[in-house]
Amino acid sequence: MTTQEGPQADVLRWAAVQLGATAAVVSATGMREGGNPWLLRIDHDGQVIDAVLKTVTPEGVAGMATEVAALRVANRAGVPAPRILAVDASGEAAGTRAVLETAVPGRSRIPLDASPQRLRGLGAAVAALHSITTRPSPELPRRTRPIPASDFARDRREGRERSTPLLDAADDRVTRLPVPDSAPVLVHGDLWQGNTMWQGDRLTGLLDWDMAGVGHYGIDLSSLRLDAALTFGQGAAGSVLDGWEQRSGIEAADLAYWDAVAALNMPSDMAEFLPAIHDQGRPDLTAEELNTRRDAFLRAAIDRL
């Protein structure tokens, strides 16, 4: 177990020894609301090395297995992402289930304005990910929507989430269509700017792979297009697409469908996601503005279906 005060000594010793028998943790800083995951500074023979420690509850075991499997595939293909340093899937060695990863340099803060270069670079990085064709597996299941841990569209249909006429009409249109087919590729599954790291306008890594899987590239591409539209306005989605198509060498297919799916898998009131967006450096954005931008993105998608 870990607390907001810091991870316990056993897991810190386990993390340190992965880098060398004489290594020791100098500091452990909570990266999410002061807690797990932890940025560790590890002294190894006088050299201080940064690493990220993620501890896992029993409920998070499947996500841990997915993250490890996805990162190993992504690392082999040269996708910018953390590298797995060690895994204790049982918790016997570390005292808790844990994963140790390399720390990706840079910042994940969302700027007030994004250059076309940055947005195209984001699209290009994801196109590199989508060059990896693979088959579904227990660790990397088939995905048909982004953020598989939630299904806001289903919740609205079943009355657990309030809705709007636009969301209802769009959902009715999309559910009548077959899921587009394509060569199955590795998808990140939770791509937004909060899960990216940057040095200036250069993307240094994609983070948090616990919702990865195998599916249509549109799952990730449209998630990023929506995120860009929410934070920078509708035109920003086009720059993400430009970068993806330039890097992949093909024209994105079924984009309207995946744009609609991405928008529908958002809460009816974007105020639910406001704390995370503010925490990533955009306190200027309001729930009203995000709702308006989400609806504009969704209308544009439905108009193209």
Side-chain angles (χ1 to χ4, degrees):
M1 294 290 291
T2 59
T3 68
Q4 294 300 89
E5 286 72 35
Q8 290 191 351
D10 286 349
V11 71
L12 292 179
R13 282 193 292 268
W14 171 84
V17 79
Q18 307 309 313
L19 299 184
T22 60
V25 174
V26 176
S27 65
T29 304
M31 301 177 70
R32 184 170 295 133
E33 297 179 357
N36 184 39
W38 308 90
L39 177 62
L40 306 184
R41 306 209 76 199
I42 302 175
D43 186 327
H44 181 217
D45 294 336
Q47 180 183 6
V48 177
I49 300 168
D50 289 344
V52 173
L53 171 67
K54 296 184 176 183
T55 57
V56 183
T57 64
E59 295 76 18
V61 168
M64 178 183 76
T66 290
E67 173 146 340
V68 170
L71 281 175
R72 285 177 172 159
V73 173
N75 293 161
R76 288 196 296 269
V79 173
R83 288 184 296 104
I84 298 292
L85 295 173
V87 179
D88 184 357
S90 67
E92 292 181 4
T96 186
R97 297 176 180 89
V99 179
L100 188 68
E101 303 173 358
T102 57
V104 177
R107 304 181 69 201
S108 62
R109 305 280 284 181
I110 303 171
L112 291 176
D113 297 296
S115 68
Q117 176 187 351
R118 178 187 176 102
L119 294 168
R120 288 193 297 266
L122 188 53
V126 179
L129 167 63
H130 297 154
S131 68
I132 305 169
T133 57
T134 187
R135 293 181 178 275
S137 68
E139 294 78 20
L140 294 172
R142 182 173 182 264
R143 303 298 193 192
T144 57
R145 69 175 189 279
I147 320 179
S150 63
D151 191 342
F152 288 104
R154 181 198 61 200
D155 290 346
R156 283 188 289 269
R157 283 182 227 121
E158 297 179 357
R160 292 190 297 274
E161 167 96 352
R162 73 172 184 81
S163 192
T164 69
L166 171 63
L167 291 170
D168 286 342
D171 184 56
D172 181 68
R173 181 75 178 275
V174 168
T175 54
R176 294 173 185 271
L177 298 172
V179 177
D181 195 18
S182 73
V185 300
L186 180 66
V187 295
H188 179 281
D190 187 19
L191 269 182
W192 70 296
Q193 291 167 91
N195 282 340
T196 64
M197 292 288 280
W198 298 83
Q199 290 181 325
D201 277 345
R202 183 176 70 88
L203 186 141
T204 56
L206 306 176
L207 309 179
D208 291 347
W209 293 71
D210 57 311
M211 296 189 203
V214 176
H216 195 292
Y217 56 76
I219 292 170
D220 287 341
L221 176 56
S222 288
S223 291
L224 283 177
R225 281 170 45 78
L226 172 61
D227 187 55
L230 290 172
T231 52
F232 306 122
Q234 302 301 312
S239 294
V240 173
L241 177 61
D242 288 344
W244 189 93
E245 291 185 336
Q246 289 168 11
R247 173 64 174 78
S248 65
I250 63 172
E251 182 178 345
D254 305 303
L255 196 62
Y257 176 92
W258 294 112
D259 281 358
V261 168
L264 286 167
N265 202 34
M266 292 282 110
S268 300
D269 187 352
M270 293 294 293
E272 186 169 336
F273 283 179
L274 206 57
I277 293 172
H278 285 180
D279 189 54
Q280 287 301 133
R282 292 301 305 272
D284 58 300
L285 293 171
T286 66
E288 181 180 8
E289 187 169 17
L290 291 173
N291 286 332
T292 298
R293 289 180 173 182
R294 187 271 319 278
D295 288 353
F297 187 86
L298 179 57
R299 285 192 188 93
I302 296 301
D303 288 346
R304 302 193 319 273
L305 277 176

